[in-house]
Amino acid sequence: MERLSDLWLASGLYQMSWGQAVMIAVCLGLLYLAVARRFEPLLLVTIGFGGILSNLPGAEIATGNGLLHLTYVVGIETGAFPLIIFMGVGAMTDFGPMLANPKTLFLGAAAQFGIFATLLGALGLSALGWFDFSLQQAAAIGIIGGADGPTAIYVAGKLAPELLGAIAVAAYSYMALVPLIQPPIMRALTTARERAIEMRQLRTVSRVERIVFPLLLVLLVGLMLPAAAPLLGMFCFGNLMRECGVVERLSDTTRNALINIVTIFLGLAVGSKLAADAFLVPSTLGILVLGMAAFAVGTATGVLMAKLMNLLTREPINPLIGAAGVSAVPMAARVANRVGQEANPHNYLLMHAMGPNVAGVIGSAVAAGVLILLAGE
Amino acid sequence: MERLSDLWLASGLYQMSWGQAVMIAVCLGLLYLAVARRFEPLLLVTIGFGGILSNLPGAEIATGNGLLHLTYVVGIETGAFPLIIFMGVGAMTDFGPMLANPKTLFLGAAAQFGIFATLLGALGLSALGWFDFSLQQAAAIGIIGGADGPTAIYVAGKLAPELLGAIAVAAYSYMALVPLIQPPIMRALTTARERAIEMRQLRTVSRVERIVFPLLLVLLVGLMLPAAAPLLGMFCFGNLMRECGVVERLSDTTRNALINIVTIFLGLAVGSKLAADAFLVPSTLGILVLGMAAFAVGTATGVLMAKLMNLLTREPINPLIGAAGVSAVPMAARVANRVGQEANPHNYLLMHAMGPNVAGVIGSAVAAGVLILLAGE
Amino acid sequence: MERLSDLWLASGLYQMSWGQAVMIAVCLGLLYLAVARRFEPLLLVTIGFGGILSNLPGAEIATGNGLLHLTYVVGIETGAFPLIIFMGVGAMTDFGPMLANPKTLFLGAAAQFGIFATLLGALGLSALGWFDFSLQQAAAIGIIGGADGPTAIYVAGKLAPELLGAIAVAAYSYMALVPLIQPPIMRALTTARERAIEMRQLRTVSRVERIVFPLLLVLLVGLMLPAAAPLLGMFCFGNLMRECGVVERLSDTTRNALINIVTIFLGLAVGSKLAADAFLVPSTLGILVLGMAAFAVGTATGVLMAKLMNLLTREPINPLIGAAGVSAVPMAARVANRVGQEANPHNYLLMHAMGPNVAGVIGSAVAAGVLILLAGE
Amino acid sequence: MNPILQGVELMLAGMGTVFAFLTLLVLSTLLMSRLVLRFAPDAVVPPPGADAHGPTEDEVAAIAAAVAHHRGRGP
Amino acid sequence: MNPILQGVELMLAGMGTVFAFLTLLVLSTLLMSRLVLRFAPDAVVPPPGADAHGPTEDEVAAIAAAVAHHRGRGP
Amino acid sequence: MNPILQGVELMLAGMGTVFAFLTLLVLSTLLMSRLVLRFAPDAVVPPPGADAHGPTEDEVAAIAAAVAHHRGRGP
Ligand code: NA
Ligand code: NA
Ligand code: NA
């Protein structure tokens, strides 16, 4: 009899709180979006399932010596997982289009305004008394506008680990929603004629340029802003392995087995931050709203920057590719291409949009460095 | 001269005990069975070699800062390795046959009787004064009857780490011996006519059912028995990655590179528990005898349950597939198929036996949860 | 304004020392050699890039909680990375040629004289007052003559971690330079007629011999010199997985995904020891000079041993294959083949040179065991 | 308490839980299948892994077979 | 200090740094490309991965396509 | 003790151990081979990896070559 009562007291049914039930429903929703709608499935499947496990009362997977908590401590508190993912992303990134037209880097710079506007917005909402975000927390929320998962997790892990779950969910969800968020903004800020602009075909980029570029980038970031050097350094390392052509077996493993393994555990570890008591708080709502604003503002400033450049330089730029400057690789570049083809069916913007797209990765890593340096501590 | 004597004093020849020599011979025997007879080679090659390394005196690989000991601490004490293997097993498991005929889950339940009978047996032998097993130890020995390697290692790591070496060796050895252990019991408990029963072809299972099932299972286990949630949660996570169809690259890495890497280190770490002073004790003999009994009893109760179900339900069940309820995937299902074909050459039981086979995995994970919850501490 | 000054004070430009600038140039040189000249690219690309990251002031990647420092602590201080690499090398090694002609093991023994001569040389330079190497340091420098990366890193990590960066760079650089270092010595010590000697074709080696050999080797090393058992044990484990034929999936992962992943992090971790303050010291110059001497002496004694064996045994040995006894697998064997073909275009020494080549791996692991045992502490 | 009694109690609790759990699982699986087949029937069942990038092992094997077949009957 | 002011300051420093950094990167990339194309022009641009061992996924796909093509027009 | 002497001693112990060990290894390998060839001769030597599942890199390459060959001489 006593055994039966032990079993009952230890059961999830007995121990579950309303919050945990809600969070499980939320996680099932994330899984639905990932599987049925293909919303960033690599991360939302793993985060969503990790979130379910973390809200099973009594399972203690996301606390103490539970696997997900240990994974969080080992992989995210140290920064190791986002850095390794960034290395893998580097090993998948083709800088060719950007090297063929380096001016597009400015678009990647402009789109980072979303980060800082959101930071200000978070501080403003706190000044209004609606929320109570510290400077660190506001900076971590702003980085959602970087539209770059590993960067957001890295920064949130450093500046506001208590918000990491909501920030990661917002970042990946909005990256998946880019095809819905961006087009209205892009259309509102451009004329049909601007959207129809055809761009000159990109020149071929030599192998040596591709090899030298990651070295140039890491040295420049080391000289200018060492706080961004871990992120961009690992990114450049992955890219150098990809381009140098003599370590193909390492590069292949980096962008396959290694990034896959780390993605699984990163997702589970992020999921461990979706426990009800940490996630079902008012600030999560603020983060979701502000994150959406971050994407919208970044999209707008990217497009406006392209229009500004058209005023200043001779060679025409289709302003749609400015929206790809937020990053969200490669989704935002595809969106630019699609919206461009609506205006002009002969318009192939994909390659042109890849330049600002990868520039946005660099831009938000630089912004991350500034935030860690100046808002940290 | 002094150097020579240092070398001699440090040599294995000088330091080796009889026990270590015996254990090296035992490990060579395991390697022989693995290589020449293909007895569970993935685990017995790695465990056997780890056992040799652990019995080389002076090498200190399995103690202090030695690689095998560190691997044990990091991977088995934390439970990480068996859980990751279980995730990989989930990514390899096809629940289709079970979903097509869920009644076969009862066979997977009945076969777990082997676990608890063995637990009682271990306590009985202790009451007789032949051995001195505590309740925790008896529970860890019983789990051998789960016929599931990672579950056995996980439970033994929690309840009786001092017996882990013997329990893992027994579990994998008897899983390899299933084709010898089960058929006599299966024939003894069935008539030729029963063995000849043909079963109705299984219906097709839809993709949505396959995707929903792991979620259903993890939620049910979370509500009913959170102590089993780590094991079954990781299992369901692997299976969801497999079935959802949108994270094929993660699923592929999980069931290849990741499970292979973890298997290598799991085997070496288990091997570190085969050091002579821990393994060459009377209790090991008890574990080997009791483990054999566990397999036999589980086989018998699985078959008997199938016969009972034939009395109660209309659709006929070939009682041989009850034996597959112990798990030992996929060996036990193949044995059921083979014994069935002896009685009726047109009898293809393999798919029908896969249902109870994977049900046995769930059943022993549930049993593991009960044991950890009630016998733990 | 204050923010601007913070940014400037935190910049690399402000903080960089001359030493760091020099080390970055050195690392760029290593990368150039790796990429343009294909000098041991797998290690020199990863070490070189790790070295750049470690010399970016303010990035703090190679100190404190930085990723490279954590990697060093986890992977090199414990010895885990070199041991896992050695397992992977074992899974790639074909002992066939050596088993067909075991006498060639003596060549692998003789070439280890380079290790001990260099050790003496380091102590001699210290007695002269030019450097100040302790016995431990001299032993770690000597192991460069083993011409085997993981062995050198393993020994240096145990005996002289402060020299690990220079030792690893010297070891891999000279392994890449083997085609330049060895031929003059080989030609100087042999006559054209000796170099033209054709060797008898090797017999076929049976599968059972291949399986038994790694077991024989690990037991022998366990009995004779347990201090070498971690290195040779993991090597034999990898080789057993390769040869036994029943764990092909583990063997495949070991020599692909696993060794690639560990190589990446090993290289970065070694790179973390290339920080200017540790590397730009006079002793590095000594290590580079002594390391070169180690390769030269080992080459010479390997060749001379082959000539001695020709005096004592009937079956002729081409003395060029003695040079392959230093290891530097498979470069040194290719060099022997090439020099042999210069003297006699019909001379195919490659397979014959693979015997001493892998024997050299065993020989230097044995030497490593002696050094760790007698020079350690 | 007598360890044997403890064992018996554990056996009863254990087998009880195992059967209770699997009974519930049978029932909820049957219910789930019924609901899925009613509300989300998928006419064609794409095999798991159909979304995988690149050819699968089976496909490569099929290619190999095709080539072998072709060569076998070639001139 | 007023947090809003802090935020504005951070925004100015941040966007300033981002633009300064990327401007420098544009300039040095243009310079680098010019130097490379002058001093190290490589006529043929081997695609990255050309040194990889074994057929790539694309090649395998090409094989599959070739076989399919062949079979499609076969007798 | 004089470090040079220590070094000489270490060299003697080291080279002695290396030669002793490898001599023993030569002898036991010869003995092992003789025993194996007498008691466990395997007529056919299956190449390592013969048990691997799925086509190997070499096989895929062979397929590619076959297809290329076929296409090369096609119409
Ligand atoms: Na971005
Ligand atoms: Na079971
Ligand atoms: Na060597």
Side-chain angles (χ1 to χ4, degrees):
Chain A
M1 272 333 291
E2 203 193 325
R3 293 307 187 196
L4 269 187
S5 113
D6 284 0
L7 279 166
W8 168 243
L9 293 177
S11 77
L13 218 53
Y14 174 80
Q15 296 181 74
M16 185 166 289
S17 68
W18 275 107
Q20 290 170 320
V22 170
M23 280 312 296
I24 289 175
V26 167
C27 291
L28 289 173
L30 290 177
L31 289 174
Y32 174 80
L33 294 175
V35 175
R37 299 299 184 83
R38 305 202 165 224
F39 274 24
E40 289 283 333
L42 297 179
L43 269 296
L44 290 189
V45 166
T46 49
I47 292 175
F49 204 94
I52 292 178
L53 292 178
S54 308
N55 284 287
L56 298 177
E60 278 158 32
I61 300 175
T63 58
N65 286 318
L67 182 61
L68 267 53
H69 184 246
L70 294 179
T71 308
Y72 181 84
V73 171
V74 168
I76 300 199
E77 273 188 15
T78 63
F81 284 176
L83 291 177
I84 296 171
I85 301 264
F86 228 52
M87 174 172 76
V89 172
M92 291 179 186
T93 296
D94 177 5
F95 278 122
M98 206 200 71
L99 289 170
N101 192 6
K103 283 199 314 290
T104 57
L105 276 162
F106 290 120
L107 303 173
Q112 306 317 314
F113 189 72
I115 294 175
F116 296 97
T118 305
L119 186 163
L120 260 190
L123 293 174
L125 293 181
S126 301
L128 290 173
W130 294 14
F131 295 100
D132 185 28
F133 294 124
S134 67
L135 186 66
Q136 283 73 36
Q137 291 179 324
I141 295 168
I143 203 68
I144 297 172
D148 194 33
T151 301
I153 292 171
Y154 185 79
V155 171
K158 297 254 176 219
L159 297 182
E162 66 283 6
L163 303 181
L164 192 142
I167 288 172
V169 167
Y172 284 106
S173 300
Y174 295 144
M175 279 163 66
L177 287 172
V178 149
L180 298 180
I181 298 173
Q182 289 196 319
I185 300 168
M186 293 157 78
R187 289 194 200 99
L189 294 176
T190 52
T191 65
R193 197 157 145 205
E194 282 172 331
R195 292 199 292 277
I197 291 175
E198 290 182 26
M199 293 180 66
R200 207 173 58 177
Q201 211 197 318
L202 294 171
R203 73 171 174 90
T204 309
V205 173
S206 88
R207 200 179 145 237
V208 176
E209 285 174 275
R210 290 171 185 274
I211 296 174
V212 174
F213 180 74
L215 294 168
L216 180 69
L217 176 53
V218 73
L219 290 178
L220 214 57
V221 81
L223 291 179
M224 297 279 294
L225 187 67
L231 272 174
L232 281 175
M234 293 305 281
F235 186 66
C236 291
F237 178 49
N239 193 250
L240 179 67
M241 288 198 286
R242 168 195 166 93
E243 299 294 355
C244 72
V246 295
V247 294
E248 194 52 38
R249 59 180 292 157
L250 302 186
S251 163
D252 181 62
T253 293
T254 303
R255 70 177 161 252
N256 289 298
L258 180 54
I259 200 174
N260 290 344
I261 291 172
V262 176
T263 298
I264 291 169
F265 291 106
L266 176 88
L268 291 176
V270 168
S272 80
K273 288 286 170 179
L274 263 55
D277 49 355
F279 195 90
L280 286 183
V281 290
S283 66
T284 296
L285 194 65
I287 290 169
L288 291 175
V289 171
L290 287 163
M292 173 70 86
F295 270 69
V297 172
T299 302
T301 51
V303 172
L304 293 174
M305 181 72 190
K307 294 179 70 160
L308 178 66
M309 285 172 70
N310 267 341
L311 296 181
L312 300 177
T313 65
R314 221 174 12 177
E315 203 185 311
I317 295 176
N318 188 313
L320 294 175
I321 71 169
V326 295
S327 13
V329 183
M331 192 68 94
R334 283 193 206 139
V335 167
N337 187 59
R338 191 159 51 69
V339 177
Q341 292 202 323
E342 285 167 16
N344 173 355
H346 300 296
N347 212 350
Y348 295 99
L349 293 175
L350 189 63
M351 271 299 126
H352 298 283
M354 288 309 297
N357 213 200
V358 301
V361 176
I362 299 173
S364 49
V366 170
V370 176
L371 293 175
I372 290 171
L373 180 65
L374 297 183
E377 311 302 271
Chain B
M1 271 334 291
E2 203 192 326
R3 292 305 186 201
L4 269 186
S5 114
D6 284 359
L7 280 167
W8 168 243
L9 293 178
S11 77
L13 218 52
Y14 175 80
Q15 296 181 74
M16 184 165 290
S17 68
W18 274 106
Q20 290 169 321
V22 170
M23 280 313 295
I24 289 175
V26 167
C27 291
L28 289 174
L30 290 177
L31 289 174
Y32 175 80
L33 294 175
V35 175
R37 300 298 185 84
R38 304 199 165 225
F39 274 25
E40 290 284 331
L42 297 180
L43 268 297
L44 290 189
V45 165
T46 49
I47 293 176
F49 204 94
I52 291 178
L53 292 179
S54 306
N55 284 288
L56 298 177
E60 278 158 32
I61 299 176
T63 58
N65 286 319
L67 182 62
L68 267 53
H69 184 246
L70 293 179
T71 307
Y72 181 85
V73 170
V74 167
I76 300 201
E77 273 187 15
T78 64
F81 284 175
L83 291 177
I84 296 171
I85 300 262
F86 228 52
M87 174 171 77
V89 172
M92 292 180 185
T93 295
D94 177 5
F95 277 124
M98 206 199 71
L99 288 170
N101 192 5
K103 284 199 314 290
T104 56
L105 276 161
F106 290 119
L107 302 173
Q112 307 317 315
F113 190 72
I115 294 175
F116 296 98
T118 306
L119 186 163
L120 261 190
L123 293 174
L125 294 182
S126 301
L128 290 175
W130 295 14
F131 294 100
D132 185 28
F133 294 124
S134 68
L135 187 65
Q136 283 75 34
Q137 291 179 323
I141 296 168
I143 204 69
I144 297 173
D148 194 31
T151 301
I153 292 171
Y154 185 78
V155 171
K158 297 255 177 217
L159 297 183
E162 67 281 6
L163 303 182
L164 192 143
I167 288 173
V169 167
Y172 284 106
S173 300
Y174 295 143
M175 279 163 67
L177 286 173
V178 149
L180 298 180
I181 297 174
Q182 289 196 319
I185 299 169
M186 294 157 79
R187 290 196 199 99
L189 294 176
T190 52
T191 64
R193 197 155 146 205
E194 283 172 330
R195 293 197 292 277
I197 293 175
E198 290 183 25
M199 293 181 67
R200 209 173 56 177
Q201 211 196 319
L202 294 171
R203 73 172 175 90
T204 310
V205 174
S206 88
R207 198 178 147 238
V208 177
E209 286 174 275
R210 289 170 186 274
I211 295 173
V212 174
F213 180 75
L215 293 168
L216 181 71
L217 177 52
V218 73
L219 290 178
L220 214 58
V221 81
L223 291 178
M224 297 280 294
L225 187 67
L231 271 175
L232 281 175
M234 293 305 281
F235 186 66
C236 291
F237 178 50
N239 192 250
L240 179 66
M241 288 198 286
R242 169 195 165 94
E243 298 294 355
C244 72
V246 295
V247 294
E248 194 52 38
R249 59 180 292 157
L250 301 186
S251 162
D252 181 61
T253 293
T254 303
R255 68 177 162 254
N256 289 297
L258 180 54
I259 200 174
N260 290 344
I261 291 171
V262 176
T263 299
I264 291 169
F265 291 107
L266 176 88
L268 290 176
V270 169
S272 79
K273 289 286 171 180
L274 263 55
D277 49 355
F279 195 91
L280 285 183
V281 290
S283 66
T284 296
L285 193 66
I287 291 169
L288 292 176
V289 171
L290 288 163
M292 172 71 85
F295 270 69
V297 173
T299 302
T301 51
V303 172
L304 293 174
M305 182 72 189
K307 294 179 70 159
L308 178 65
M309 285 172 70
N310 267 342
L311 295 181
L312 300 177
T313 66
R314 218 172 16 172
E315 204 184 309
I317 294 175
N318 188 312
L320 293 175
I321 71 168
V326 295
S327 10
V329 183
M331 192 69 94
R334 283 193 207 139
V335 167
N337 188 59
R338 192 160 51 70
V339 177
Q341 292 202 323
E342 285 168 15
N344 172 357
H346 300 296
N347 212 350
Y348 297 98
L349 293 176
L350 189 63
M351 271 300 125
H352 298 282
M354 287 309 297
N357 213 200
V358 300
V361 176
I362 299 173
S364 49
V366 170
V370 176
L371 294 175
I372 290 171
L373 180 64
L374 298 184
E377 313 300 273
Chain C
M1 275 330 294
E2 204 193 325
R3 293 305 187 200
L4 271 186
S5 112
D6 284 359
L7 280 167
W8 168 244
L9 293 178
S11 76
L13 218 51
Y14 174 80
Q15 297 181 72
M16 185 165 289
S17 68
W18 274 106
Q20 290 169 321
V22 169
M23 280 312 296
I24 288 175
V26 167
C27 291
L28 289 174
L30 290 177
L31 289 174
Y32 175 80
L33 293 174
V35 174
R37 300 298 184 82
R38 305 202 164 223
F39 274 25
E40 289 284 331
L42 297 179
L43 268 296
L44 291 189
V45 165
T46 49
I47 293 176
F49 204 94
I52 291 177
L53 292 178
S54 308
N55 283 288
L56 299 177
E60 279 159 31
I61 300 175
T63 57
N65 285 319
L67 182 61
L68 267 53
H69 185 246
L70 293 178
T71 307
Y72 181 85
V73 171
V74 168
I76 300 200
E77 271 187 17
T78 64
F81 284 176
L83 291 178
I84 296 171
I85 300 264
F86 228 52
M87 174 171 77
V89 172
M92 292 179 184
T93 296
D94 177 4
F95 278 123
M98 206 200 72
L99 288 170
N101 192 5
K103 285 199 313 289
T104 57
L105 277 162
F106 290 119
L107 303 173
Q112 307 316 315
F113 189 73
I115 294 174
F116 296 99
T118 306
L119 185 164
L120 260 189
L123 293 174
L125 293 182
S126 301
L128 290 174
W130 295 13
F131 295 100
D132 186 27
F133 294 124
S134 68
L135 186 65
Q136 283 74 35
Q137 291 180 323
I141 296 168
I143 203 69
I144 297 173
D148 194 33
T151 300
I153 292 170
Y154 185 79
V155 171
K158 297 255 176 217
L159 296 182
E162 66 281 5
L163 303 182
L164 192 142
I167 288 173
V169 166
Y172 284 106
S173 299
Y174 295 144
M175 279 162 67
L177 286 173
V178 148
L180 298 180
I181 298 173
Q182 288 196 319
I185 300 167
M186 293 158 79
R187 290 196 199 98
L189 293 176
T190 52
T191 64
R193 197 157 145 204
E194 282 172 329
R195 292 197 293 277
I197 292 175
E198 291 182 26
M199 292 181 66
R200 206 173 58 177
Q201 213 196 318
L202 293 172
R203 73 171 174 92
T204 310
V205 173
S206 87
R207 198 178 147 239
V208 177
E209 285 175 275
R210 290 170 186 274
I211 295 173
V212 174
F213 180 75
L215 293 168
L216 180 70
L217 176 53
V218 73
L219 290 178
L220 213 57
V221 81
L223 291 179
M224 297 279 295
L225 187 67
L231 272 175
L232 282 175
M234 293 305 281
F235 186 66
C236 291
F237 178 49
N239 192 249
L240 179 67
M241 288 198 286
R242 169 195 165 93
E243 298 294 355
C244 72
V246 294
V247 294
E248 194 53 38
R249 59 180 293 156
L250 301 187
S251 162
D252 181 62
T253 294
T254 304
R255 67 176 163 253
N256 289 297
L258 180 54
I259 200 173
N260 290 343
I261 291 172
V262 175
T263 298
I264 291 169
F265 291 107
L266 176 87
L268 290 175
V270 169
S272 79
K273 289 286 170 181
L274 264 54
D277 49 355
F279 195 90
L280 286 183
V281 289
S283 65
T284 296
L285 194 66
I287 290 170
L288 291 175
V289 170
L290 287 164
M292 172 71 86
F295 270 68
V297 173
T299 302
T301 50
V303 171
L304 292 174
M305 182 73 190
K307 294 179 69 158
L308 177 65
M309 285 172 69
N310 267 341
L311 294 181
L312 300 177
T313 65
R314 219 174 14 176
E315 204 184 308
I317 295 175
N318 188 313
L320 294 175
I321 71 170
V326 295
S327 8
V329 183
M331 192 70 93
R334 283 194 207 137
V335 167
N337 188 59
R338 192 160 51 69
V339 177
Q341 291 202 322
E342 285 169 15
N344 173 357
H346 300 296
N347 212 351
Y348 296 99
L349 293 176
L350 190 64
M351 272 299 125
H352 298 281
M354 287 309 297
N357 213 198
V358 301
V361 176
I362 299 173
S364 48
V366 170
V370 175
L371 294 176
I372 290 171
L373 180 66
L374 298 184
E377 310 304 270
Chain D
M1 190 166 65
N2 181 327
I4 300 281
L5 275 186
Q6 273 189 303
V8 171
E9 207 182 59
L10 202 51
M11 174 195 277
L12 294 178
M15 285 309 289
T17 306
V18 168
F19 267 103
F21 184 84
L22 291 188
T23 304
L24 254 174
L25 187 59
V26 169
L27 295 177
S28 46
T29 300
L30 288 172
L31 181 67
M32 179 273 284
S33 284
R34 187 158 303 181
L35 292 175
V36 163
L37 294 181
R38 173 164 313 168
F39 296 109
D42 45 8
V44 262
V45 185
D51 299 275
H53 306 299
T56 64
E57 208 167 280
D58 286 355
E59 289 170 80
V60 172
I63 298 166
V67 174
H69 175 71
H70 167 71
R71 300 179 80 192
R73 62 171 174 62
Chain E
M1 190 166 64
N2 182 325
I4 300 282
L5 274 186
Q6 272 190 303
V8 170
E9 209 183 57
L10 201 51
M11 174 194 278
L12 294 177
M15 285 308 288
T17 306
V18 168
F19 266 102
F21 183 84
L22 291 187
T23 304
L24 252 174
L25 187 58
V26 169
L27 295 178
S28 46
T29 301
L30 288 171
L31 181 67
M32 179 273 283
S33 284
R34 186 158 305 181
L35 291 176
V36 163
L37 294 181
R38 173 165 312 168
F39 296 109
D42 46 8
V44 262
V45 185
D51 299 276
H53 306 300
T56 66
E57 208 167 280
D58 286 354
E59 289 171 78
V60 172
I63 298 166
V67 174
H69 175 71
H70 166 72
R71 300 180 79 191
R73 64 170 174 63
Chain F
M1 191 165 64
N2 181 327
I4 298 283
L5 273 186
Q6 272 190 303
V8 171
E9 208 182 58
L10 202 51
M11 173 194 278
L12 294 178
M15 284 308 290
T17 306
V18 168
F19 266 102
F21 183 84
L22 291 188
T23 303
L24 252 173
L25 187 59
V26 169
L27 295 177
S28 46
T29 301
L30 288 171
L31 181 66
M32 180 273 284
S33 285
R34 186 158 304 180
L35 291 176
V36 164
L37 295 180
R38 172 165 314 168
F39 297 109
D42 46 8
V44 262
V45 185
D51 299 276
H53 306 300
T56 64
E57 208 168 279
D58 285 354
E59 289 170 80
V60 172
I63 298 166
V67 175
H69 176 69
H70 167 71
R71 301 179 78 192
R73 62 170 175 63

